[in-house]
Coordinates of all heavy atoms in Angstrom, one line a residue:
W201 N 52.6 -97.5 5.4 CA 51.7 -96.8 6.3 C 50.6 -96.1 5.7 O 49.4 -96.2 6.0 CB 52.6 -95.8 7.2 CG 51.9 -95.2 8.2 CD1 51.7 -95.6 9.6 CD2 51.2 -93.9 8.1 NE1 51.0 -94.6 10.3 CE2 50.7 -93.6 9.4 CE3 51.0 -93.0 7.1 CZ2 49.9 -92.4 9.7 CZ3 50.3 -91.9 7.4 CH2 49.7 -91.6 8.6
A202 N 51.0 -95.4 4.6 CA 50.0 -94.6 3.9 C 49.0 -95.5 3.2 O 47.8 -95.1 3.1 CB 50.7 -93.7 2.8
H203 N 49.4 -96.7 2.7 CA 48.5 -97.6 2.1 C 47.4 -98.1 3.2 O 46.2 -98.3 2.8 CB 49.1 -98.8 1.5 CG 49.8 -98.5 0.2 ND1 49.1 -98.3 -1.0 CD2 51.1 -98.3 -0.1 CE1 50.0 -98.0 -1.9 NE2 51.2 -98.0 -1.4
R204 N 47.8 -98.2 4.4 CA 47.0 -98.6 5.4 C 46.0 -97.5 5.9 O 45.0 -97.8 6.6 CB 47.7 -99.2 6.6 CG 48.3 -100.5 6.3 CD 49.0 -101.2 7.5 NE 50.2 -100.3 8.0 CZ 50.3 -99.9 9.2 NH1 49.4 -99.9 10.1 NH2 51.4 -99.2 9.5
H205 N 46.4 -96.3 5.8 CA 45.7 -95.2 6.1 C 45.4 -94.1 5.1 O 45.9 -93.0 5.1 CB 46.5 -94.5 7.3 CG 46.8 -95.4 8.4 ND1 45.7 -95.8 9.3 CD2 47.8 -96.0 8.9 CE1 46.3 -96.6 10.2 NE2 47.5 -96.8 10.0
P206 N 44.5 -94.5 4.1 CA 44.2 -93.6 3.0 C 43.5 -92.4 3.5 O 43.5 -91.4 2.8 CB 43.4 -94.4 2.1 CG 42.8 -95.4 3.0 CD 43.8 -95.7 4.0
E207 N 42.9 -92.4 4.8 CA 42.3 -91.2 5.4 C 43.4 -90.1 5.8 O 43.0 -88.9 6.1 CB 41.4 -91.5 6.5 CG 42.1 -91.9 7.8 CD 42.7 -93.3 7.9 OE1 42.8 -94.0 6.8 OE2 43.0 -93.7 9.0
A208 N 44.7 -90.5 5.8 CA 45.7 -89.6 6.3 C 46.7 -89.3 5.3 O 47.6 -88.4 5.5 CB 46.4 -90.3 7.5
A209 N 46.7 -89.9 4.1 CA 47.8 -89.7 3.3 C 47.4 -90.0 1.8 O 46.5 -90.9 1.6 CB 49.1 -90.5 3.6
L210 N 48.0 -89.4 0.8 CA 47.9 -89.8 -0.6 C 49.0 -90.7 -0.9 O 50.1 -90.5 -0.3 CB 47.9 -88.5 -1.4 CG 46.8 -87.5 -1.2 CD1 47.0 -86.3 -2.2 CD2 45.4 -88.2 -1.5
V211 N 48.8 -91.7 -1.8 CA 49.8 -92.6 -2.1 C 50.1 -92.6 -3.6 O 49.1 -92.6 -4.4 CB 49.4 -94.0 -1.7 CG1 50.5 -95.0 -2.1 CG2 49.2 -94.1 -0.1
E212 N 51.4 -92.7 -4.0 CA 51.8 -92.8 -5.3 C 52.9 -93.8 -5.3 O 53.9 -93.6 -4.6 CB 52.3 -91.5 -5.9 CG 52.9 -91.7 -7.3 CD 52.0 -92.5 -8.3 OE1 50.8 -92.1 -8.5 OE2 52.5 -93.5 -8.8
S213 N 52.8 -94.9 -5.9 CA 53.8 -96.0 -5.8 C 55.1 -95.7 -6.6 O 56.1 -96.1 -6.2 CB 53.2 -97.3 -6.4 OG 52.1 -97.7 -5.7
S214 N 55.0 -94.9 -7.6 CA 56.2 -94.5 -8.4 C 56.9 -93.4 -7.7 O 56.3 -92.4 -7.2 CB 55.8 -94.1 -9.8 OG 56.8 -93.6 -10.5
A215 N 58.2 -93.4 -7.8 CA 59.0 -92.3 -7.3 C 59.3 -91.3 -8.3 O 60.0 -90.3 -8.1 CB 60.4 -92.9 -6.8
S216 N 58.7 -91.4 -9.5 CA 58.9 -90.5 -10.6 C 58.3 -89.2 -10.3 O 57.1 -89.1 -9.8 CB 58.2 -91.1 -11.8 OG 58.0 -90.1 -12.8
P217 N 58.9 -88.0 -10.5 CA 58.4 -86.7 -10.3 C 57.1 -86.5 -11.1 O 56.2 -85.9 -10.7 CB 59.5 -85.8 -10.7 CG 60.8 -86.6 -10.5 CD 60.4 -88.0 -10.8
K218 N 57.1 -87.1 -12.3 CA 55.9 -86.9 -13.1 C 54.7 -87.6 -12.5 O 53.6 -87.2 -12.7 CB 56.2 -87.5 -14.6 CG 57.1 -86.5 -15.4 CD 57.3 -87.1 -16.8 CE 58.2 -86.2 -17.5 NZ 58.4 -86.5 -18.9
A219 N 54.9 -88.8 -11.9 CA 53.8 -89.5 -11.3 C 53.3 -88.7 -9.9 O 52.2 -88.8 -9.7 CB 54.2 -90.9 -10.9
I220 N 54.2 -88.2 -9.2 CA 53.9 -87.4 -8.0 C 53.2 -86.1 -8.2 O 52.4 -85.6 -7.4 CB 55.1 -87.3 -7.1 CG1 55.6 -88.8 -6.8 CG2 54.9 -86.5 -5.9 CD1 57.0 -88.8 -6.0
L221 N 53.6 -85.5 -9.3 CA 53.1 -84.1 -9.6 C 51.6 -84.0 -9.5 O 51.1 -83.1 -8.8 CB 53.6 -83.6 -10.9 CG 53.3 -82.2 -11.3 CD1 53.8 -81.3 -10.3 CD2 53.8 -81.9 -12.7
P222 N 50.7 -84.9 -10.0 CA 49.4 -84.7 -9.9 C 48.8 -84.7 -8.4 O 47.9 -84.1 -8.1 CB 48.7 -86.0 -10.6 CG 49.8 -86.3 -11.6 CD 51.1 -86.0 -10.9
L223 N 49.5 -85.5 -7.6 CA 49.1 -85.5 -6.1 C 49.4 -84.0 -5.5 O 48.5 -83.6 -4.8 CB 50.0 -86.5 -5.4 CG 49.7 -88.0 -5.7 CD1 50.6 -88.9 -4.9 CD2 48.3 -88.3 -5.6
F224 N 50.5 -83.5 -5.8 CA 50.8 -82.1 -5.4 C 49.8 -81.1 -5.8 O 49.3 -80.3 -5.1 CB 52.2 -81.8 -5.7 CG 53.2 -82.3 -4.9 CD1 54.3 -83.1 -5.5 CD2 53.2 -82.3 -3.4 CE1 55.2 -83.8 -4.7 CE2 54.1 -83.0 -2.7 CZ 55.2 -83.7 -3.4
K225 N 49.4 -81.3 -7.2 CA 48.4 -80.4 -7.7 C 47.1 -80.5 -7.0 O 46.4 -79.6 -6.7 CB 48.3 -80.6 -9.2 CG 49.4 -80.1 -10.0 CD 49.3 -80.3 -11.5 CE 50.4 -79.8 -12.3 NZ 50.3 -80.0 -13.7
R226 N 46.7 -81.8 -6.8 CA 45.5 -82.0 -6.1 C 45.5 -81.4 -4.6 O 44.4 -80.8 -4.2 CB 45.3 -83.6 -6.0 CG 43.9 -84.0 -5.7 CD 43.8 -85.5 -6.0 NE 42.8 -86.0 -5.1 CZ 42.7 -87.1 -4.6 NH1 43.7 -88.1 -4.8 NH2 41.8 -87.5 -3.8
L227 N 46.5 -81.6 -3.9 CA 46.7 -81.0 -2.7 C 46.6 -79.5 -2.7 O 45.9 -78.9 -1.8 CB 47.9 -81.4 -2.0 CG 48.0 -82.8 -1.5 CD1 49.4 -83.2 -0.9 CD2 47.0 -83.0 -0.2
R228 N 47.2 -78.9 -3.7 CA 47.2 -77.5 -3.8 C 45.8 -76.9 -4.1 O 45.4 -75.9 -3.6 CB 48.1 -77.1 -4.9 CG 48.3 -75.5 -5.2 CD 49.1 -75.1 -6.3 NE 48.4 -75.6 -7.6 CZ 49.0 -75.9 -8.7 NH1 50.3 -75.7 -8.8 NH2 48.3 -76.3 -9.7
E229 N 45.1 -77.6 -4.9 CA 43.8 -77.2 -5.4 C 42.6 -77.5 -4.5 O 41.5 -76.9 -4.7 CB 43.6 -77.6 -6.8 CG 44.6 -77.0 -7.7 CD 44.7 -77.7 -9.1 OE1 43.8 -78.7 -9.4 OE2 45.5 -77.4 -10.0
D230 N 42.8 -78.6 -3.7 CA 41.6 -79.1 -3.0 C 41.7 -78.9 -1.5 O 42.4 -79.7 -0.7 CB 41.5 -80.6 -3.2 CG 40.1 -81.2 -2.7 OD1 39.5 -80.5 -1.8 OD2 39.7 -82.2 -3.2
S231 N 41.2 -77.7 -1.0 CA 41.4 -77.4 0.4 C 40.6 -78.5 1.3 O 41.0 -78.7 2.4 CB 40.9 -76.0 0.7 OG 39.5 -75.8 0.4
E232 N 39.4 -78.9 0.9 CA 38.7 -79.9 1.7 C 39.6 -81.2 1.8 O 39.5 -81.8 2.9 CB 37.4 -80.2 0.9 CG 36.4 -79.1 1.1 CD 35.0 -79.4 0.5 OE1 34.8 -80.6 0.2 OE2 34.3 -78.5 0.3
L233 N 40.2 -81.6 0.8 CA 41.1 -82.7 0.9 C 42.2 -82.5 1.9 O 42.5 -83.4 2.7 CB 41.7 -83.1 -0.6 CG 42.7 -84.2 -0.5 CD1 42.2 -85.5 -0.1 CD2 43.4 -84.2 -1.9
R234 N 42.9 -81.3 1.9 CA 43.8 -81.0 2.8 C 43.4 -81.2 4.3 O 44.0 -81.7 5.1 CB 44.5 -79.6 2.6 CG 45.3 -79.6 1.3 CD 46.0 -78.3 1.3 NE 45.3 -77.1 1.4 CZ 44.7 -76.4 0.5 NH1 44.8 -76.9 -0.9 NH2 44.0 -75.4 0.6
V235 N 42.1 -80.6 4.5 CA 41.6 -80.6 5.8 C 41.2 -82.0 6.3 O 41.5 -82.5 7.4 CB 40.3 -79.8 5.9 CG1 39.5 -80.0 7.1 CG2 40.6 -78.3 5.7
R236 N 40.7 -82.9 5.3 CA 40.4 -84.2 5.6 C 41.7 -85.1 6.0 O 41.7 -85.9 7.0 CB 39.6 -84.9 4.5 CG 38.2 -84.6 4.4 CD 37.5 -85.6 3.4 NE 38.1 -85.9 2.1 CZ 38.0 -85.1 1.1 NH1 37.3 -84.1 1.0 NH2 38.6 -85.5 0.0
L237 N 42.8 -84.8 5.1 CA 44.0 -85.6 5.4 C 44.5 -85.1 6.7 O 45.0 -86.0 7.4 CB 44.9 -85.3 4.2 CG 44.6 -86.0 2.9 CD1 45.6 -85.5 1.8 CD2 44.6 -87.5 3.0
A238 N 44.5 -83.9 7.0 CA 45.0 -83.4 8.3 C 44.3 -84.1 9.5 O 44.9 -84.5 10.4 CB 45.0 -81.9 8.5
A239 N 43.0 -84.0 9.4 CA 42.1 -84.6 10.5 C 42.4 -86.1 10.5 O 42.5 -86.7 11.6 CB 40.7 -84.4 10.2
G240 N 42.5 -86.8 9.4 CA 42.8 -88.2 9.5 C 44.2 -88.5 10.0 O 44.2 -89.5 10.8
A241 N 45.1 -87.8 9.7 CA 46.4 -88.0 10.2 C 46.5 -87.7 11.7 O 47.2 -88.5 12.4 CB 47.5 -87.0 9.5
A242 N 45.8 -86.8 12.2 CA 45.8 -86.5 13.6 C 45.1 -87.7 14.3 O 45.5 -88.1 15.4 CB 45.1 -85.2 13.9
K243 N 44.0 -88.2 13.7 CA 43.3 -89.3 14.4 C 44.3 -90.6 14.5 O 44.3 -91.2 15.5 CB 42.0 -89.6 13.6 CG 41.3 -90.7 14.2 CD 40.0 -90.9 13.4 CE 39.2 -92.0 13.9 NZ 37.9 -92.2 13.2
V244 N 44.9 -90.9 13.3 CA 45.8 -92.0 13.3 C 47.0 -91.8 14.2 O 47.4 -92.7 14.9 CB 46.3 -92.2 11.8 CG1 47.4 -93.3 11.8 CG2 45.2 -92.6 10.9
A245 N 47.5 -90.6 14.3 CA 48.6 -90.3 15.2 C 48.3 -90.6 16.7 O 49.0 -91.2 17.4 CB 49.0 -88.8 15.1
L246 N 47.1 -90.3 17.1 CA 46.6 -90.4 18.4 C 46.5 -92.0 18.7 O 46.8 -92.5 19.7 CB 45.2 -89.8 18.7 CG 45.3 -88.3 18.8 CD1 43.9 -87.7 19.0 CD2 46.2 -87.8 20.0
A247 N 46.0 -92.7 17.6 CA 45.8 -94.1 17.8 C 47.1 -94.9 17.8 O 47.3 -95.9 18.5 CB 44.8 -94.7 16.8
E248 N 48.0 -94.6 16.8 CA 49.2 -95.4 16.6 C 50.5 -94.9 17.2 O 51.4 -95.8 17.3 CB 49.4 -95.5 15.0 CG 48.4 -96.3 14.4 CD 48.8 -96.8 13.0 OE1 50.0 -96.5 12.7 OE2 48.0 -97.4 12.4
F249 N 50.5 -93.7 17.6 CA 51.8 -93.2 18.1 C 51.7 -92.8 19.5 O 52.2 -91.7 20.0 CB 52.3 -92.0 17.2 CG 52.5 -92.4 15.8 CD1 51.6 -92.0 14.8 CD2 53.5 -93.3 15.4 CE1 51.7 -92.4 13.5 CE2 53.7 -93.6 14.1 CZ 52.8 -93.2 13.2
D250 N 51.1 -93.7 20.3 CA 51.0 -93.5 21.7 C 52.3 -93.9 22.3 O 52.8 -95.1 22.3 CB 49.9 -94.3 22.3 CG 49.8 -94.2 23.8 OD1 49.8 -93.2 24.4 OD2 49.9 -95.3 24.4
P251 N 53.0 -93.0 23.0 CA 54.4 -93.4 23.5 C 54.4 -94.5 24.5 O 55.3 -95.4 24.5 CB 54.9 -92.1 24.1 CG 54.1 -91.1 23.6 CD 52.8 -91.6 23.2
T252 N 53.4 -94.5 25.3 CA 53.3 -95.6 26.3 C 53.1 -96.9 25.7 O 53.7 -97.9 26.0 CB 52.2 -95.3 27.3 OG1 52.3 -94.1 28.0 CG2 52.1 -96.4 28.5
R253 N 52.3 -97.0 24.7 CA 52.0 -98.3 24.1 C 53.2 -98.7 23.3 O 53.6 -99.9 23.2 CB 50.8 -98.2 23.1 CG 50.4 -99.4 22.3 CD 49.3 -99.2 21.3 NE 49.6 -98.3 20.4 CZ 50.5 -98.4 19.3 NH1 51.1 -99.6 19.1 NH2 50.7 -97.5 18.4
I254 N 53.9 -97.8 22.6 CA 55.0 -98.1 21.8 C 56.1 -98.6 22.7 O 56.9 -99.5 22.4 CB 55.5 -96.9 21.0 CG1 54.5 -96.6 19.9 CG2 56.9 -97.0 20.3 CD1 54.7 -95.2 19.2
R255 N 56.4 -98.0 23.8 CA 57.4 -98.4 24.8 C 57.2 -99.8 25.3 O 58.0 -100.7 25.3 CB 57.5 -97.4 25.9 CG 58.7 -97.7 26.9 CD 58.7 -96.6 28.0 NE 57.5 -95.9 28.3 CZ 57.3 -94.6 28.0 NH1 58.0 -93.9 27.3 NH2 56.2 -94.0 28.5
S256 N 55.9 -100.1 25.6 CA 55.5 -101.4 26.1 C 55.7 -102.5 24.9 O 56.3 -103.5 25.2 CB 54.0 -101.4 26.4 OG 53.6 -102.7 26.8
E257 N 55.3 -102.2 23.7 CA 55.5 -103.1 22.6 C 57.0 -103.3 22.4 O 57.5 -104.5 22.2 CB 54.8 -102.6 21.4 CG 53.4 -102.7 21.4 CD 52.7 -102.2 20.2 OE1 53.4 -102.0 19.1 OE2 51.4 -102.0 20.1
F258 N 57.9 -102.4 22.5 CA 59.2 -102.5 22.3 C 59.9 -103.3 23.4 O 60.6 -104.2 23.1 CB 59.9 -101.0 22.3 CG 61.4 -101.1 22.0 CD1 61.9 -101.6 20.8 CD2 62.3 -100.7 23.0 CE1 63.4 -101.7 20.7 CE2 63.6 -100.7 22.8 CZ 64.2 -101.2 21.7
R259 N 59.5 -103.1 24.6 CA 59.9 -103.8 25.7 C 59.6 -105.3 25.6 O 60.4 -106.2 25.8 CB 59.4 -103.3 27.0 CG 59.9 -104.0 28.3 CD 59.3 -103.6 29.6 NE 59.7 -104.3 30.7 CZ 59.3 -105.6 31.0 NH1 58.5 -106.2 30.2 NH2 59.9 -106.2 32.1
N260 N 58.4 -105.5 25.1 CA 57.9 -107.0 24.9 C 58.8 -107.6 23.9 O 59.2 -108.8 24.0 CB 56.4 -106.9 24.5 CG 55.5 -106.7 25.7 OD1 56.0 -106.8 26.9 ND2 54.3 -106.3 25.4
C261 N 59.1 -106.9 22.8 CA 60.0 -107.4 21.7 C 61.3 -107.8 22.3 O 61.9 -108.8 22.0 CB 60.1 -106.5 20.6 SG 58.7 -106.3 19.6
L262 N 61.9 -106.9 23.2 CA 63.2 -107.2 23.7 C 63.1 -108.5 24.6 O 64.1 -109.3 24.6 CB 63.7 -106.0 24.5 CG 64.0 -104.8 23.7 CD1 64.3 -103.6 24.7 CD2 65.1 -105.0 22.7
V263 N 62.1 -108.6 25.4 CA 61.9 -109.7 26.3 C 61.8 -111.0 25.5 O 62.4 -112.0 25.7 CB 60.6 -109.6 27.2 CG1 60.3 -110.8 27.9 CG2 60.9 -108.5 28.2
E264 N 61.0 -110.9 24.4 CA 60.9 -112.1 23.5 C 62.2 -112.5 22.9 O 62.6 -113.7 22.8 CB 59.8 -111.9 22.4 CG 58.3 -111.9 23.0 CD 57.4 -111.5 21.9 OE1 57.7 -111.7 20.7 OE2 56.3 -111.1 22.2
A265 N 62.9 -111.5 22.4 CA 64.3 -111.8 21.8 C 65.2 -112.4 22.9 O 65.9 -113.2 22.5 CB 64.8 -110.5 21.2
S266 N 65.1 -111.8 24.0 CA 66.0 -112.3 25.1 C 65.7 -113.8 25.3 O 66.6 -114.6 25.6 CB 65.9 -111.5 26.4 OG 66.7 -112.0 27.4
C267 N 64.4 -114.1 25.5 CA 64.0 -115.4 25.8 C 64.3 -116.5 24.6 O 64.8 -117.5 24.9 CB 62.5 -115.4 26.0 SG 62.0 -114.7 27.6
A268 N 64.2 -116.0 23.5 CA 64.6 -116.8 22.3 C 66.1 -117.1 22.2 O 66.6 -118.2 22.0 CB 64.1 -116.1 21.0
A269 N 66.8 -116.0 22.6 CA 68.3 -116.2 22.6 C 68.8 -117.2 23.7 O 69.7 -117.9 23.5 CB 69.0 -114.9 22.9
T270 N 68.1 -117.2 24.8 CA 68.5 -118.1 26.0 C 68.1 -119.6 25.7 O 68.6 -120.5 26.2 CB 68.0 -117.7 27.3 OG1 66.5 -117.6 27.2 CG2 68.5 -116.3 27.7
R271 N 67.1 -119.7 24.8 CA 66.6 -121.1 24.3 C 67.6 -121.8 23.4 O 67.6 -123.0 23.3 CB 65.2 -121.0 23.9 CG 64.2 -120.9 24.9 CD 62.8 -121.1 24.2 NE 62.4 -120.2 23.2 CZ 61.7 -119.1 23.4 NH1 61.2 -118.8 24.5 NH2 61.4 -118.3 22.4
E272 N 68.3 -120.9 22.7 CA 69.1 -121.5 21.6 C 70.4 -122.1 22.2 O 70.9 -121.9 23.2 CB 69.5 -120.4 20.6 CG 68.3 -120.0 19.9 CD 68.6 -118.8 18.9 OE1 69.7 -118.3 18.8 OE2 67.7 -118.4 18.2

């Protein structure tokens, strides 16, 4: 998710605390970055996390799975 939305999140591929530490320092020190990330996350949330759309997509997946099961 974060790789697809760099406007909303910082990404570090390694789970190492040493690798993640610079990201936390950057967030701590750069207030403009925090504001940009917050605004980007809010924008993505409105676009991607619409409950009506998610419910519809989930229902469509269930219908497709049901149809596939009856064809087998």
Side-chain angles (χ1 to χ4, degrees):
W201 185 91
H203 284 285
R204 290 185 292 123
H205 299 289
E207 74 279 15
L210 298 177
V211 177
E212 173 53 55
S213 299
S214 171
S216 162
K218 288 184 180 181
I220 296 170
L221 185 59
L223 296 180
F224 286 124
K225 287 181 179 179
R226 199 168 149 209
L227 283 171
R228 181 186 66 205
E229 296 167 2
D230 190 341
S231 62
E232 289 180 14
L233 174 62
R234 291 191 306 270
V235 169
R236 280 195 317 272
L237 289 174
K243 184 177 178 181
V244 171
L246 288 174
E248 289 200 3
F249 300 107
D250 174 54
T252 303
R253 182 185 57 76
I254 292 170
R255 185 174 30 252
S256 175
E257 289 178 9
F258 180 65
R259 183 183 178 285
N260 289 341
C261 287
L262 292 176
V263 168
E264 287 178 24
S266 174
C267 289
T270 59
R271 285 191 297 261
E272 291 177 2

